[in-house]
Amino acid sequence: MAKIIIPTPLRKFTQNQASFEGNGSTVGATIENLTETYPDIKQHLLDENGKLRNFVRVYIGDEDIKALQNEATEVKDDSVISIVPAIAGGSL
Amino acid sequence: MENITFSKKELERYSRHLIIPEFNIEGQRKLKAAKVLVVGSGGLGSPLLLYLTAAGVGTIGIVDFDVVDDSNLQRQVLFSVDDVGTPKVEAAKKRLEGLNPHINFVVHNEPLTSHNALDIVKDYDLVADGTDNFPTRYLVNDACVLLGKPNVYASIFRFEGQLSVFNYTNKEGVLGPNYRDLYPTPPPPGLVPSCSEGGVIGVLPGIMGSLQANEVIKVITGVGEPLSGRLFLYDAAAFETRTLKIYRDENNPLNGKNPTITELIDYDHFCGIVPKGEKQRDVKSVSVQELKDLIEKQEDIQVIDVREGYEYEIANINAELIPLGEIEAQLDKIASDKKVVLHCRSGKRSADAIELLEKKYGFKNLYNLDGGILAWADEIDTSLAKY
């Protein structure tokens, strides 16, 4: 089970859980497991075509999945997946 | 650089820098020769400006159009109670001149816009971005990329901070990524809550702004390894830190393979923001005065507050509390046979609620309270706390 770290702005969709232990052999499958468990988070992560949104980045360890195999990047049991959304720190 | 000299007073002031072997008087000379623009003198700008001033950056520009407000003092440590109501740039300059009389301060008491940004930024060597909204983030980034200036970036939300050095050319002459490599487009308005909606722990901008000041000093002096091509994340609640890699993106519209942005654009439009003055929403509304009259005449109306419970605790007007996220689960509590006024803090979330209720459930009796409880606090009941 890989661990997904949920960023603060999205925790209201995960019942305030800061992390999620997800099933899946790839990053995409693990995120799918997350969105199945917490359906409200889905529209904040994925567009209509199921692609990761432009203002959200996903990392496995310290590596951007775009520099690996994107959603098809393999995950191991001890993998840590970070979801990193844009934050502006202010008034919008 | 040899022509940069120091008085006895300056040498004594900066002596703790001068005795660091790899920093020494060369580093101090570079600081004195440097011109740094700090955009935003709020939560991040406060520690940034204090430390850059104390450290001896020769010329410091400050951009801010705001005035000091009571709610700033929880984190904006540049300011005092006496400064409330004063333009931030003026209050900042006064405080900073008291801290270090050897610095040349240039104040820009205006918002940074597509019209003035290139003109302001061009006179500086480096920009430190301590702003608080997406349009200005992209504006600062684009201006820096177009003018070839490094952009030391930090951003905060609740207990979480981000830090990076963008558009930095290293000693080998290799240019690092910028904000658009990390986030090509901003989230649509409303998807990410703001600090004024979401809050921020007061110490966090102090920590992130101090780290930003350190990166500014590193970039100027060439001491250490700037946080270029890396994104530092700090979770102050869990005390977790992560440093992640950022790469340049060949699709970057500013400096990728096929650049399409060669001048500054309309950043409000880019970020999906409807200009003020244009009717934002197609919902019926009432003014706070109209609502007051309805209540005084004891008209049979329902008033619903769609904010969160913790906001209700700060200030309320005795409305029924149904937070926006629970509206659909509590439909049965919303009257359909009489006038229903919905309100929130400023009028945005209640308009969202009305749009949802009208489109999905066919309500026709809903009115948005213009300006929300903030307008009520301004015009009807000034004893209410504004937040």
Side-chain angles (χ1 to χ4, degrees), chain B residues 43-257:
Chain B
L44 293 165
S46 287
L48 251 170
L49 287 163
L50 286 165
Y51 277 115
L52 295 182
T53 300
V57 170
T59 300
I60 298 177
I62 312 169
V63 186
D64 209 312
F65 62 95
D66 222 347
V67 296
V68 181
D69 180 82
D70 282 314
S71 72
N72 298 151
L73 303 178
Q74 166 254 21
R75 62 197 178 286
Q76 300 181 12
V77 295
L78 255 183
F79 307 120
S80 306
V81 175
D82 290 345
D83 296 324
V84 171
T86 309
K88 284 187 174 176
V89 290
E90 281 176 26
K93 184 170 185 253
K94 191 166 158 236
R95 166 82 194 274
L96 296 168
E97 280 175 341
L99 174 60
N100 190 342
H102 308 291
I103 309 295
N104 171 32
F105 294 100
V106 182
V107 298
H108 305 274
N109 189 8
E110 55 189 327
L112 198 70
T113 68
S114 300
H115 301 293
N116 63 14
L118 292 177
D119 205 37
I120 292 174
V121 172
K122 73 171 171 29
D123 294 331
Y124 295 89
D125 305 315
L126 179 154
V127 177
D129 179 0
T131 60
D132 64 357
N133 61 81
F134 285 112
T136 318
R137 294 276 179 204
Y138 282 92
L139 169 63
V140 170
N141 180 73
D142 292 5
C144 285
V145 174
L146 292 174
L147 293 168
K149 316 276 184 187
N151 169 17
V152 179
Y153 156 94
S155 185
I156 49 171
F157 180 74
R158 286 195 185 150
F159 286 92
E160 212 160 295
Q162 298 183 346
L163 181 79
S164 193
V165 175
F166 292 129
N167 204 46
Y168 171 75
T169 304
N170 69 12
K171 285 164 192 157
E172 286 76 47
V174 179
L175 180 66
N178 64 67
Y179 190 58
R180 283 185 186 260
D181 293 308
L182 182 62
Y183 297 116
T185 57
L191 207 55
V192 179
S194 69
C195 277
S196 53
E197 248 178 73
V200 65
I201 189 81
V203 184
L204 180 64
I207 296 167
M208 300 308 294
S210 299
L211 290 172
Q212 230 178 332
N214 195 46
E215 290 306 307
V216 170
I217 290 169
K218 283 161 62 184
V219 170
I220 293 170
T221 58
V223 173
E225 199 55 54
L227 191 72
S228 171
R230 293 179 289 164
L231 178 70
F232 174 77
L233 303 180
Y234 176 55
D235 179 341
F239 211 107
E240 298 268 357
T241 63
R242 283 168 284 167
T243 307
L244 310 173
K245 293 175 186 164
I246 312 175
Y247 299 96
R248 287 190 63 185
D249 183 349
E250 62 178 39
N251 297 317
N252 189 316
L254 284 168
N255 62 0
K257 269 190 172 166

Side-chain angles (χ1 to χ4, degrees), chain B residues 317-328:
Chain B
I317 55 172
N318 291 320
E320 281 175 58
L321 179 66
I322 309 180
L324 180 58
E326 293 167 32
I327 281 273
E328 288 184 272

